[in-house]
Amino acid sequence: MKTIIKNGRVIDPAQNIDAILDVVISAGCIESIAAQVQPAADDQVIDATGLLITPGLVDIHVHLRDPGYEYKEDIVSGTRAAAAGGFTSVACMPNTNPSNDNKAITRYMIQKAELEGYANVFPICSITKGQQGDSLVEMGDLKLAGCVGFSDDGLNVEDGAMLRHAMEYAQGFDMPIIAHSEDESIKDGGVMNEGPLSTELGLTGNPWVSEAASVARDIMLAELTGARLHICHISSKRTVELVREAKQRGVRVTCEVTPHHFTLTEEAVRGYEVNAKVGPPLRTAADVAAMKEGLRDGTIDAIATDHAPHHIDDKNMEFVYAAFGMIGLETALPLSLRLVDEGVLSLNEVIACLSCKPANVLRIPRGTLIAGAVADIALINLEHTWEVTRQSIRSRSFNTPFEQQSMKGKAVMTLRAGRVVHKEI
Ligand code: NCD
Ligand code: ZN
C-alpha cells in the first residue's frame, strides 16, 4: 500500500520544483513526484487541493528542556509543537539538566524522540563539559552517538583559547561549532537592547556591541582554524555586515535569524512585557531591516526559532528577574510567510530558509522531497488564519509575545516518515 498526496502545489527548493503535482510515498520514503498519478485500489489518498506540499520543516535551534526541565517542555510536548508548526526535524540545544555533554544523554534524546516523539530530534552537544567553559567534551564519542554540532548555547564561550581548541577538534571531526555569540563583559547584565528606550524604562541595556564584538572574534577564530562556524540567533545590523564580509572572504561561516528578530523591535518590551525578554534582545527598526536584507541577499542562511519554553513561574515577575526566551515553533511559519507579503523573500525562498538551507547548515539528511528521501512532509494552508491562544498552542509553555495575535498560514497536516503526526483538516 502506498500513500499518494494529490493535487497540491509541491514546493521543493532543493530540486527547484514548484508545480501542481502528486507525491507518492512508499515504505516511509518518497517514491516519486509526478503529475496525475493513478492510485491503486489499496492506496491511501490524501487530497491536497489548495495546499502547499513542502518538505517537513527543519528547525536547527530549539530548547526541548528534556532531561531536567520537563515542567517547561519535554521531548514529547516539544516535538508535538514542532509537528503542529510544520517541523519534522529539530536540533535541540544542550542546556538541559544535566546538560547534554555525554553520549548517554544524546542517545536518550534520540531514542525518546524515535519512540514517543512527533518529530526527529538531532541533538547538539555542549562544547564544554556542563557548559562550564573549563574543559572540552569528547567530540568523537558524541559524533558517533548522533550529535550534529557543538554549542554552549545560552552562554558564550568566554575563553578565546578554549573556543579555538574546540574549533580545532571540531574541524578534525568535520563538525560545526554553533556559537551563542554575546560577550558577557560587554553585555554587563543587560536585560534589553541598550538605547533611549532602556533608559526610559530604567532597565540595564545590552548594546549591539556585545554580539558584534563576539561574532568578530568567532569569525576570526574560524578563519584561523578553518573550522565550520554557525552563529546563532543574530540580532544586530553590524553582525549581518560582519558575516557578509566574512563570507566574501571565504570564511566557513553560516548564521541564522529567529522570526522574532525579523518581526519585532525593542518596542515590544515597553510595558515591561516579560514575554518579549529574550537573548539576544529585540533591537531597533534598523536592525530588523538589516535582518531582512541579510535574508534577501543570502547572508543569513536559515530561519531558526530558538524555541525557548519557560514556565509561567519563571516569567511572571519583575522584568529584571524573568527568564530570557520565548516559544516559537508554532508561530515561525506564519511569521516567516509575512516576508513574502512584504516582498522580502519569495515563497520558495521562505520554504528554503525553513527546510533545505538549515538542513545543509548542520548536514541533517532532511529538508527535501527528492526520490528516496525520508517522507517528512508538511501540507500548508496559506490562507488559514488562526489566533495565538493557550488553547491553540501545543507547547507546554506559553511564553509568547504574540499572544492573542492573528496568524495567517498553518501546517494543516504533517507527516513523519510517511505517517501522519499532525492533522487539522
Ligand atoms: C534560551 C533559553 O532559554 O534556553 N533563551 C533565550 O533567551 N534565547 C537560551 C539561548 O538560546 O540563548
Ligand atoms: Zn542562544
Side-chain angles (χ1 to χ4, degrees):
M1 188 192 97
K2 296 176 183 174
T3 301
I4 302 170
I5 308 178
K6 287 197 70 69
N7 294 321
R9 177 177 168 192
V10 177
I11 296 186
D12 185 15
Q15 300 187 80
N16 261 316
I17 295 178
D18 180 358
I20 305 290
L21 291 165
D22 301 342
V23 176
V24 182
I25 302 167
S26 172
C29 291
I30 307 285
E31 187 180 273
S32 60
I33 298 180
Q36 311 281 338
V37 176
Q38 289 307 317
D42 66 341
D43 286 344
Q44 181 197 4
V45 175
I46 296 171
D47 180 13
T49 306
L51 304 176
L52 303 186
I53 306 176
T54 73
L57 306 181
V58 177
D59 187 352
I60 55 174
H61 190 147
V62 307
H63 298 272
L64 294 177
R65 307 299 192 209
D66 183 350
Y69 304 107
E70 294 88 346
Y71 64 98
K72 298 177 190 237
E73 193 81 283
D74 67 14
I75 287 170
V76 177
S77 66
T79 56
R80 189 184 287 129
F87 293 94
T88 49
S89 293
V90 297
C92 64
M93 288 298 178
N95 60 342
T96 48
N97 186 20
S99 53
N100 183 14
D101 62 4
N102 65 79
K103 58 188 176 191
I105 293 183
T106 304
R107 288 201 185 120
Y108 157 79
M109 289 173 167
I110 295 170
Q111 279 170 10
K112 185 164 175 184
E114 267 167 17
L115 294 173
E116 300 173 52
Y118 294 77
N120 313 305
V121 169
F122 295 91
I124 294 167
C125 292
S126 61
I127 295 172
T128 63
K129 288 187 182 146
Q131 297 191 270
Q132 295 293 304
D134 303 324
S135 58
L136 296 178
V137 296
E138 297 287 348
M139 290 187 175
D141 259 9
L142 291 166
K143 181 179 181 179
L144 286 175
C147 101
V148 292
F150 300 100
S151 179
D152 273 0
D153 184 49
L155 297 165
N156 192 35
V157 179
E158 292 287 301
D159 182 331
M162 184 68 69
L163 188 61
R164 175 198 175 157
H165 294 313
M167 285 186 182
E168 286 165 346
Y169 277 102
Q171 197 208 358
F173 294 110
D174 195 18
M175 293 283 275
I177 290 290
I178 302 165
H180 173 121
S181 296
E182 265 192 316
D183 184 308
E184 287 293 334
S185 62
I186 300 173
K187 180 178 171 186
D188 202 17
V191 293
M192 69 170 291
N193 183 49
E194 182 178 297
L197 185 61
S198 63
T199 306
E200 186 184 329
L201 295 177
L203 293 171
T204 311
N206 171 2
W208 57 268
V209 189
S210 68
E211 177 178 278
S214 180
V215 166
R217 177 198 70 164
D218 297 353
I219 284 173
M220 284 185 241
L221 287 174
E223 196 171 357
L224 177 71
T225 59
R228 265 157 71 206
L229 169 67
H230 176 70
I231 300 169
C232 291
H233 45 47
I234 69 166
S235 67
S236 86
K237 181 171 186 281
R238 199 69 191 85
T239 302
V240 183
E241 291 165 2
L242 286 163
V243 175
R244 183 179 291 127
E245 187 257 356
K247 284 187 167 187
Q248 278 162 4
R249 281 188 297 115
V251 182
R252 298 168 83 198
V253 59
T254 53
C255 69
E256 69 190 31
V257 66
T258 69
H260 46 274
H261 285 111
F262 66 67
T263 305
L264 300 174
T265 67
E266 59 183 356
E267 283 296 327
V269 169
R270 200 183 275 283
Y272 304 92
E273 175 47 70
V274 287
N275 287 330
K277 181 178 176 183
V278 66
L282 301 171
R283 300 200 190 268
T284 66
D287 295 304
V288 169
M291 295 306 123
K292 292 179 181 174
E293 183 52 28
L295 281 164
R296 206 195 52 71
D297 76 3
T299 300
I300 300 175
D301 300 85
I303 297 172
T305 65
D306 189 10
H307 177 80
H310 286 294
H311 192 269
I312 189 163
D313 290 350
D314 301 310
K315 278 288 194 182
N316 201 3
M317 58 189 83
E318 290 92 325
F319 191 89
V320 190
Y321 302 115
F324 288 94
M326 58 180 77
I327 57 169
L329 280 165
E330 294 168 80
T331 46
L333 176 62
L335 294 175
S336 301
L337 289 169
R338 290 183 190 176
L339 297 170
V340 180
D341 295 337
E342 293 171 12
V344 176
L345 295 180
S346 68
L347 181 57
N348 283 259
E349 287 167 335
V350 165
I351 300 302
C353 283
L354 288 165
S355 59
C356 55
K357 289 179 81 179
N360 287 345
V361 167
L362 296 189
R363 301 194 183 157
I364 290 172
R366 292 294 195 282
T368 173
L369 300 174
I370 197 161
V374 177
D376 289 353
I377 301 173
L379 303 192
I380 296 167
N381 183 344
L382 292 175
E383 302 305 322
H384 185 116
T385 56
W386 57 284
E387 196 183 327
V388 181
T389 62
R390 179 59 279 193
Q391 290 69 37
S392 68
I393 293 292
R394 274 78 172 172
S395 175
R396 183 158 296 151
S397 295
F398 190 56
N399 51 310
T400 171
F402 299 105
E403 180 171 6
Q404 290 190 330
Q405 288 195 25
S406 176
M407 295 284 151
K408 189 165 167 228
K410 186 88 191 63
V412 290
M413 191 186 282
T414 309
L415 295 93
R416 178 192 187 197
R419 208 168 55 81
V420 176
V421 285
H422 169 75
K423 185 173 185 302
E424 47 188 300
I425 40 172

